[in-house]
Each structure stands twice: as structure tokens, then as C-alpha cells.
């Protein structure tokens, strides 16, 4: 399978087997749902920014940045899908169009390169670190977040043509990923110290959400090889599964995560005497 060089396996399916109407539309609708949720999240974070004390609002601002980035790039990804494949009336299938742009998961990686550092930074503006230094954690988040995305971006180009390169770049990306998990666990543990029980409980829920949603990404990355490229998931079911997995992970790790952080900030603001709409104290 090397007709398309380092193209992703979505294009190989579109070239050789084609997509049924159901598979094609499921991916199109999943991608549309993804950017629509990001737009809804954008309005939520804008409308709730004054529900938290000023010192917590940078977290909400970062959520707004994440939503704008995710909306624009996922919108481009959805258009990329519909422009890459053409319906064939004789077979009733969608095939890769001649002379058209090929489908590219790179849009997601570009989105993550912007969003991942923002997502990691924003919790630092809600919690209070009791042992770690803010600048040290921030810099480590940035370094490992960017490293994880860049190496994963490179690796995904080899998912069909060179399994060893695909696996090596994926393994390097995973090392950065593990470092992020360790850092996030430390941040949440420290952030739970000395705060209201309700806020501590929500922070505990954020850790569970973060861990589960972020674990979905390696699964989607590996999907072409989970049961072997020949057969297995190297078919339209794998394409639908991958795009659904990426979209669920994006919604959970960006929108739901941001909403829960806002909830923590609201609880903390209330406990500190902040009242929305009240005049600022001199």
C-alpha cells in the first residue's frame, strides 16, 4: 500500500475500497458536531467570565482562546473531509477525488499545538500551588505539550508506509504524554489542599476526566494498527471510529474540562466573598 505515499489511512480506504453512505455521513456529522460544540463552548465561556473573581478570569480567557482555535480548525477539518471524497453513482460509494486535496488529520495536530499548552496553563490560574513553582510547572507543561504534539504529528505520516517510524515517533510522543499526566496529577493534588470540600471534589473529577479523555488520543493514533493494517481496523469502521474517538476526546478535554474549571473558580470566588455584579471594593 504505497500508492499515496505518506497519506493517512483514511485516504487509502477512499482510494481502494470507498466509503458507504453511512460511513461517509457519520464522519461528516461527527466533525460537524465537533466544531459546533466548540462554538457553543465559546459562548458559554464568554457569558460566564464575570461569574468568577477577577484573579480567576485568565482561565476563562484561555478557554475562549481554545474554543476559537478549535472551532476554526475543526471547521476546516470538516470541509477537508467533504472536499476529499466524491460520490460514485455506479457503486454508491464515496472515493478519493482526482485532483482534490486529500484528507489530512494535520488540522487536528495544528489545533492541539495551540490548545494543549492553553489547556494545561489554565488550571494554574485556578489552583494554588503549595509546593511547586508556577513558572517551573508552566514551562514543563509547555515543553512537554508541544513535544507531544509535534512528535505525534510527525509519526502520523508513517502510519501506512513505515510502521517502525510510526511506532518510534509515537513512543517519543508518549514519553511527553506521561510527563504531562504526572505534572497534572501533582498540580491537582496541591490544588486540593486547603480549599472548600466542594471545590476539591470537582478538582478530583477533573483529574478523572483529564486522564480518561487524554487516554483516548493514543488509542485513536494507534487505530490503524490495533488489529493489523491488513483487515482489522484498516477499513471504514476504523475511520469512523477514529474520528469519533478524536471528537469525543476533544469535547471532553476542552469543553467539559473548561466548564469544570469554571465551576471550581466559581466555588472559590464565592468562598472568598466575590459576588457577581457587586461593585469592586476600594
Amino acid at each position: 500500500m504505497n500508492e499515496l505515499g505518506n497519506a493517512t489511512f483514511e485516504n487509502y480506504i477512499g482510494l481502494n475500497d470507498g466509503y458507504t453512505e453511512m460511513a461517509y455521513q457519520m464522519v461528516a456529522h461527527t466533525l460537524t458536531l465537533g466544531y459546533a460544540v466548540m462554538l457553543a463552548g465559546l459562548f458559554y465561556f464568554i457569558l460566564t467570565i464575570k461569574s468568577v473573581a477577577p484573579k480567576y478570569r485568565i482561565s476563562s480567557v484561555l478557554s475562549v482562546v481554545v474554543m476559537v482555535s478549535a472551532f476554526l480548525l475543526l471547521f476546516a477539518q470538516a470541509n477537508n473531509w467533504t472536499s476529499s471524497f466524491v460520490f460514485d453513482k455506479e457503486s454508491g460509494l464515496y472515493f478519493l477525488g482526482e485532483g482534490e486535496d486529500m484528507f489530512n488529520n494535520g488540522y487536528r495536530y495544528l489545533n492541539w499545538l495551540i490548545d494543549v499548552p492553553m489547556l494545561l496553563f489554565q488550571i494554574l490560574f485556578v489552583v494554588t500551588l503549595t509546593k511547586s513553582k508556577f513558572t517551573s510547572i508552566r514551562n514543563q507543561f509547555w515543553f512537554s505539550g508541544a513535544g507531544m504534539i509535534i512528535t505525534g504529528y510527525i509519526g502520523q505520516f508513517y502510519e501506512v508506509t513505515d510502521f517502525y517510524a510510526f511506532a518510534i515517533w509515537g513512543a517519543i510522543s508518549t514519553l511527553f504524554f506521561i510527563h504531562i499526566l504526572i505534572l497534572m496529577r501533582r498540580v491537582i493534588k496541591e490544588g486540593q489542599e486547603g480549599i472548600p470540600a466542594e471545590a476539591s471534589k470537582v478538582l478530583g473529577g477533573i483529574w478523572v476526566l483529564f486522564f480518561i479523555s487524554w487516554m483516548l488520543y493514543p488509542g485513536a493514533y494507534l487505530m490503524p494498527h490495533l488489529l493489523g493494517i491488513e483487515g482489522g481496523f484498516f477499513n471504514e469502521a476504523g475511520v469512523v471510529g477514529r474520528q469519533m474517538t478524536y471528537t469525543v476526546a476533544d469535547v471532553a478535554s476542552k469543553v467539559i474540562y473548561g466548564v469544570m474549571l469554571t465551576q471550581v473558580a466559581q466555588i472559590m470566588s464565592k468562598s472568598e466573598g466575590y459576588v457577581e455584579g457587586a461593585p469592586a471594593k476600594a
Side-chain angles (χ1 to χ4, degrees):
M1 290 188 180
N2 57 11
E3 305 101 311
L4 301 177
N6 286 346
T8 56
F9 84 109
E10 288 89 349
N11 296 292
Y12 279 87
I13 300 301
L15 176 68
N16 298 307
D17 301 323
Y19 292 100
T20 62
E21 180 70 19
M22 179 181 290
Y24 175 84
Q25 295 296 347
M26 286 179 72
V27 172
H29 295 159
T30 296
L31 293 172
T32 301
L33 177 65
Y35 72 73
V37 172
M38 299 304 162
L39 184 59
L42 173 62
F43 285 107
Y44 171 83
F45 293 119
I46 291 174
L47 293 173
T48 59
I49 196 167
K50 290 187 177 180
S51 69
V52 301
K55 71 177 183 178
Y56 298 119
R57 289 178 187 171
I58 295 179
S59 179
S60 296
V61 170
L62 291 175
S63 281
V64 169
V65 173
V66 168
M67 293 301 103
V68 171
S69 167
F71 169 76
L72 292 175
L73 285 167
L74 291 178
F75 181 78
Q77 176 100 77
N79 287 333
N80 180 218
W81 172 263
T82 55
S83 67
S84 296
F85 304 102
V86 177
F87 182 70
D88 178 65
K89 293 182 179 180
E90 292 185 7
S91 63
L93 301 173
Y94 288 84
F95 288 95
L96 187 66
E98 294 183 9
E100 301 289 339
D101 290 337
M102 290 191 292
F103 182 71
N104 191 341
N105 283 307
Y107 288 106
R108 288 195 185 272
Y109 285 87
L110 292 175
N111 174 228
W112 296 331
L113 190 58
I114 298 170
D115 290 355
V116 165
M118 299 298 102
L119 291 168
L120 298 173
F121 291 166
Q122 69 183 105
I123 194 171
L124 299 178
F125 294 99
V126 174
V127 305
T128 299
L129 298 176
T130 57
K131 302 180 182 66
S132 304
K133 291 184 178 180
F134 178 94
T135 53
S136 175
I137 296 294
R138 181 198 61 196
N139 293 341
Q140 290 182 73
F141 269 154
W142 179 86
F143 177 78
S144 288
M148 178 183 69
I149 300 306
I150 292 170
T151 52
Y153 174 77
I154 296 171
Q156 55 103 25
F157 284 108
Y158 298 101
E159 64 184 21
V160 175
T161 58
D162 189 338
F163 174 77
Y164 294 104
F166 171 78
I168 289 170
W169 284 109
I172 296 171
S173 180
T174 301
L175 294 177
F176 290 118
F177 172 70
I178 293 172
H179 184 227
I180 290 171
L181 290 179
I182 294 171
L183 286 176
M184 181 59 75
R185 182 60 175 164
R186 184 196 306 175
V187 167
I188 289 177
K189 276 286 188 181
E190 291 185 26
Q192 288 178 308
E193 297 177 12
I195 65 173
E198 186 181 1
S200 179
K201 182 178 180 181
V202 178
L203 274 177
I206 287 175
W207 166 246
V208 174
L209 173 76
F210 186 89
F211 182 81
I212 293 175
S213 62
W214 279 52
M215 287 298 293
L216 293 175
Y217 291 107
Y221 178 86
L222 292 169
M223 197 162 285
H225 295 278
L226 287 177
L227 295 179
I229 274 211
E230 297 295 341
F233 279 135
F234 196 77
N235 53 39
E236 66 176 25
V239 173
V240 175
R242 170 189 264 182
Q243 295 307 322
M244 284 187 170
T245 301
Y246 274 148
T247 301
V248 169
D250 276 348
V251 170
S253 65
K254 296 175 184 179
V255 182
I256 300 177
Y257 168 79
V259 169
M260 293 179 75
L261 276 179
T262 299
Q263 186 179 1
V264 173
Q266 289 170 336
I267 296 169
M268 296 297 295
S269 298
K270 184 178 180 181
S271 71
E272 295 166 5
Y274 173 76
V275 179
E276 184 178 359
K281 296 181 180 179

